[in-house]
Amino acid sequence: MHTKLHHINLKEHYQFVTFRTYESVDEYVKNIQNSTDTEKKKQYKIDRYLDNSQNGAYFYEDAIDIMIDTVLAEDENMYDVEIMSIMPNHVHILLKQYRDLDKIMQYIKGKSAVELNKYLNKDGKFWASGYFDKAIRDDEHFVTVYNYIKNNALKAGLTDERVFSKYE
């Protein structure tokens, strides 16, 4: 029997976090989530699918800026954002956590849902439940994740305006 892994909560440690809009999680994504694949393989399949899906795709124009501004509002307080990519229906962030990861995600998803629902003139659930996180193991893993996030929008045929990095 396959069970979900608990979130790893390591303060002062780097985390790779991905979360999705509520409407992006369709039957195809649910089938992947319920498969017996490893979590890594599930996330890879879901990310590839969502990179080309318009389900729950709200991040265009000003919505991208709202998301970036929301995340950066607590940068260097709750966490330190190294890089993030705002895809049309999901978000990738590489951050160093200073608070519990669940509190960080509660802030990011809660605050952005309020702001984005207001901007988009919608109400109700904005984000899918939960999030995927992966603790960064070493420098090589950090570079791999950093480059994945940096290039994700371009690989999907989007512009790099969706990417925020402290280093570029």
Side-chain angles (χ1 to χ4, degrees):
M1 173 182 234
H2 181 73
T3 58
K4 288 192 172 224
L5 298 173
H6 295 286
H7 296 291
I8 296 175
N9 190 34
L10 301 169
K11 291 181 184 171
E12 300 291 323
H13 198 82
Y14 290 103
Q15 295 277 1
F16 170 44
V17 184
T18 299
F19 49 104
R20 303 168 178 87
T21 60
Y22 178 72
E23 293 171 6
S24 72
V25 182
D26 59 13
E27 285 304 311
Y28 184 81
V29 172
K30 289 177 185 174
N31 286 338
I32 294 171
Q33 289 173 328
N34 293 328
S35 75
T36 57
D37 288 339
T38 64
E39 284 301 313
K40 181 178 179 178
K41 189 176 253 185
K42 287 180 191 182
Q43 292 308 313
Y44 176 77
K45 287 179 178 179
I46 291 169
D47 284 348
R48 283 191 47 130
Y49 173 73
L50 291 182
D51 284 349
N52 298 300
S53 171
Q54 288 302 304
N55 294 340
Y58 295 110
F59 291 106
Y60 299 100
E61 300 168 359
D62 291 342
I64 296 168
D65 294 332
I66 290 169
M67 189 67 209
I68 291 172
D69 291 346
T70 300
V71 172
L72 294 181
E74 286 295 324
D75 190 36
E76 299 181 9
N77 180 25
M78 294 180 79
Y79 43 78
D80 185 17
V81 175
E82 298 298 319
I83 190 168
M84 72 176 128
S85 180
I86 315 299
M87 301 300 287
N89 54 15
H90 63 287
V91 176
H92 299 295
I93 305 174
L94 175 60
L95 58 81
K96 183 182 217 180
Q97 69 179 90
Y98 299 139
R99 305 245 177 105
D100 289 340
L101 189 57
D102 63 334
K103 299 295 183 205
I104 292 169
M105 295 310 299
Q106 182 180 23
Y107 162 75
I108 291 173
K109 290 173 73 176
K111 176 76 171 163
S112 63
V114 169
E115 296 299 321
L116 290 161
N117 275 337
K118 190 184 322 176
Y119 169 73
L120 296 165
N121 290 319
K122 63 188 287 326
D123 57 13
K125 200 167 186 176
F126 188 85
W127 295 110
S129 298
Y131 53 90
F132 170 78
D133 63 284
K134 180 99 173 153
I136 302 301
R137 296 182 303 272
D138 53 32
D139 290 343
E140 182 179 348
H141 188 212
F142 181 96
V143 170
T144 299
V145 169
Y146 184 93
N147 287 330
Y148 172 80
I149 294 171
K150 177 182 175 185
N151 296 314
N152 192 231
L154 295 174
K155 278 184 170 178
L158 304 166
T159 66
D160 63 359
E161 74 179 14
R162 299 170 167 280
V163 179
F164 166 84
S165 170
K166 286 191 172 169
Y167 306 108
E168 296 172 30

